[in-house]
């Protein structure tokens, strides 16, 4: 009898109940497994991504190389159309060349619209209103200062004081900056030779597509090239922050919220500096709505990818932006004699090679899952 009581107490210590039946133990095991699954869903992009979008094999869909390439490609195609659309918008709204205040005002209106579009998209996907939680407001403010206000104010002022060729080449460093910030400053991932080679190929493609024989020299101005570089660093910080913050908050809510806040700040700044948009027409409003759509959709897709993937794997696709920009500008603005077709093709090949180098190893690991 004493032996039986001792055995019963031993079982009680192990199971937490005097005589746990087999189905209780099975339920405990099931709950443990379920808890592990839930815990895995909140890990950083370096570990298993959330199971929100998984294929039949169980690998998260947003981590598959083909899906990353598809969504990043759509984002870059939309962003690549922005330079031509912005030039058209300046003409339609009557904003003269070099009117920085007017450009900041125009950009602010664009980003407010982008934020509203991103929030509407998130609400449609969730089936309920999507807004940042009150506890997430500090994250929204930080993102808006880096992604929208810091990046674009520095960019517009810097571009006005340097050549278009130099600006495009310096902007291509955004990818490199993003990887450095993610690896060296935030320690989100490791800096490898593969990532450096991929960045170098991407930057080489951007340099090639911008080599027109004019507009490039070694001079530097703090309010020109310096601010363009500062814009790139601001972008890099925002990429890493959205990757971290989206583990705790809906990335579409973050994207929409930061665009609205940052856009309103830029509208106020543009008006304070004397910016105006003197001509308003149906075509001008349609152009502004299109640009809001570009930013809202493209950045929301980008934020979703950064939630589920390392920064380096996504940011390298940004090298396609200036290449798409040159091609679309040639089609929409008639700038067909600026860069030869073979130069665009070779530049795009270099960019694609850089993307392949960075994503090859990550893709293999994901497929092996």
């Amino acid at each position: 009898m004493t032996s039986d009581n001792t055995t019963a107490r031993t079982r009680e210590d192990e199971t937490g109940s005097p005589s746990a039946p087999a189905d209780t133990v099975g339920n405990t095991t099931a709950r443990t497994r379920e808890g592990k699954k839930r815990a895995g869903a909140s890990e950083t992009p370096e570990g298993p991504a959330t199971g929100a979008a998984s294929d039949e094999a169980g690998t998260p869909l947003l981590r598959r190389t083909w899906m990353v390439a598809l969504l990043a490609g759509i984002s870059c195609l939309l962003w690549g159309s922005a330079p031509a659309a912005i030039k058209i918008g300046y003409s339609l709204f009557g904003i003269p060349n070099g009117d920085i205040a007017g450009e900041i005002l125009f950009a602010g209106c664009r980003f407010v619209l982008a934020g509203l579009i991103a929030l509407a998209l998130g609400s449609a996907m969730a089936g309920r209103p999507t807004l940042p939680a009150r506890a997430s407001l500090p994250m929204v403010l930080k993102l808006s200062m880096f992604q929208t206000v810091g990046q674009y104010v520095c960019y517009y002022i810097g571009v006005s004081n340097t050549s278009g060729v130099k600006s495009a080449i310096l902007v291509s460093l955004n990818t490199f900056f993003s990887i450095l910030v993610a690896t060296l400053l935030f320690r989100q991932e490791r800096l490898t030779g593969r990532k450096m080679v991929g960045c170098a190929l991407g930057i080489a493609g951007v340099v090639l597509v911008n080599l027109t024989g004019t507009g490039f020299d070694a001079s530097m101005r703090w309010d020109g090239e310096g601010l363009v570089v500062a814009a790139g660093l601001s972008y890099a910080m925002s990429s890493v922050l959205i990757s971290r913050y989206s583990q705790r908050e809906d990335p579409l809510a973050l994207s929409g919220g930061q665009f609205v806040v940052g856009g309103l700040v830029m509208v106020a700044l543009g008006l304070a500096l004397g910016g105006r948009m003197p001509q308003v027409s149906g075509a001008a409003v349609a152009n502004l709505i299109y640009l809001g759509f570009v930013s809202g959709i493209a950045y929301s897709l980008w934020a979703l990818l950064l939630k589920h993937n390392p920064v380096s794997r996504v940011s390298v696709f940004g090298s396609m932006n200036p290449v798409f920009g040159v091609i679309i500008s040639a089609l929409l603005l008639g700038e067909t004699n600026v860069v030869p077709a073979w130069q665009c093709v070779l530049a795009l090949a270099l960019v694609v090679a850089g993307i392949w180098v960075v994503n090859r190893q990550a893709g293999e690991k994901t497929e092996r899952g």
Side-chain angles (χ1 to χ4, degrees):
M1 179 69 71
T2 303
S3 175
D4 292 341
N5 290 339
T6 302
T7 302
R9 283 194 299 271
T10 301
R11 289 175 179 169
E12 180 178 349
D13 291 340
E14 290 176 350
T15 64
S17 61
S19 56
D23 61 339
T24 303
V25 176
N27 290 339
T28 302
T29 303
R31 286 195 299 270
T32 302
R33 288 174 180 168
E34 184 179 350
K36 288 181 179 180
K37 288 180 180 179
R38 285 198 301 267
S42 62
E43 294 184 15
T44 62
E46 281 290 273
T50 62
S54 300
D55 66 359
E56 295 178 356
T59 301
L61 190 58
L62 289 174
R63 284 182 61 87
R64 288 198 168 268
T65 301
W66 68 268
M67 180 57 74
V68 174
L70 175 63
L71 296 185
I74 292 172
S75 294
C76 292
L77 186 61
L78 288 171
W79 277 324
S81 70
I86 289 172
K87 288 183 179 180
I88 294 172
Y90 289 163
S91 175
L92 292 173
F93 279 101
I95 301 173
N97 291 333
D99 180 5
I100 296 175
E103 293 173 357
I104 291 175
L105 174 61
F106 178 79
C109 294
R110 165 193 172 188
F111 293 135
V112 170
L113 279 173
L116 296 176
I117 290 171
L119 293 174
L121 175 63
S123 299
M125 292 176 62
R128 55 179 175 77
T130 297
L131 294 170
R134 181 175 298 181
S136 301
L137 291 181
M139 294 187 290
V140 170
L141 291 175
K142 289 179 185 177
L143 277 173
S144 67
M145 290 303 104
F146 283 109
Q147 167 61 28
T148 302
V149 179
Q151 179 185 180
Y152 286 100
V153 169
C154 288
Y155 177 77
Y156 282 123
I157 297 175
V159 165
S160 68
N161 292 313
T162 188
S163 69
V165 172
K166 291 176 73 173
S167 297
I169 292 173
L170 290 173
V171 166
S172 71
L173 296 175
N174 289 3
T175 300
F176 182 65
F177 291 153
S178 296
I179 292 178
L180 288 183
V181 170
T183 56
L184 302 181
L185 186 59
F186 286 88
R187 306 285 184 180
Q188 287 186 346
E189 51 186 288
R190 291 185 300 110
L191 182 63
T192 64
R194 183 184 293 272
K195 293 172 184 176
M196 299 300 291
V197 170
C199 281
L201 288 170
I203 292 172
V206 176
V207 171
L208 179 61
V209 82
N210 283 281
L211 288 180
T212 60
T214 60
F216 190 86
D217 56 64
S219 63
M220 291 284 290
R221 289 178 54 176
W222 73 266
D223 60 345
E225 294 83 359
L227 286 181
V228 174
V229 170
L233 290 172
S234 188
Y235 165 83
M237 285 293 296
S238 73
S239 295
V240 176
L241 289 177
I242 191 69
S243 177
R244 296 184 68 185
Y245 292 162
S246 61
Q247 307 304 317
R248 292 177 276 165
E249 175 63 276
D250 184 342
L252 294 181
L254 289 173
S255 300
Q258 71 86 17
F259 269 136
V260 170
V261 173
L264 290 174
V265 171
M266 292 186 71
V267 167
L269 180 61
L271 291 173
L273 294 174
R276 297 290 182 272
M277 295 190 294
Q279 299 174 194
V280 179
S281 64
V285 172
N287 172 272
L288 189 61
I289 292 174
Y290 172 75
L291 283 168
F293 174 85
V294 165
S295 295
I297 300 300
Y299 188 72
S300 294
L301 293 176
W302 204 255
L304 282 172
L305 292 176
L306 286 171
K307 174 181 173 69
H308 294 271
N309 296 273
V311 172
S312 61
R313 191 179 187 203
V314 178
S315 62
V316 71
F317 283 90
S319 300
M320 293 194 297
N321 290 350
V323 179
F324 282 150
V326 169
I327 295 172
I328 294 173
S329 293
L331 296 175
L332 295 183
L333 302 178
E335 297 175 350
T336 55
N337 297 322
V338 177
V339 180
W342 68 265
Q343 203 166 320
C344 288
V345 172
L346 182 55
L348 188 58
L350 286 170
V351 169
V352 170
I355 293 170
W356 179 79
V357 167
V358 171
N359 281 275
R360 180 187 177 192
Q361 189 176 31
E364 290 173 349
K365 289 180 179 178
T366 300
E367 297 294 337
R368 290 196 295 267

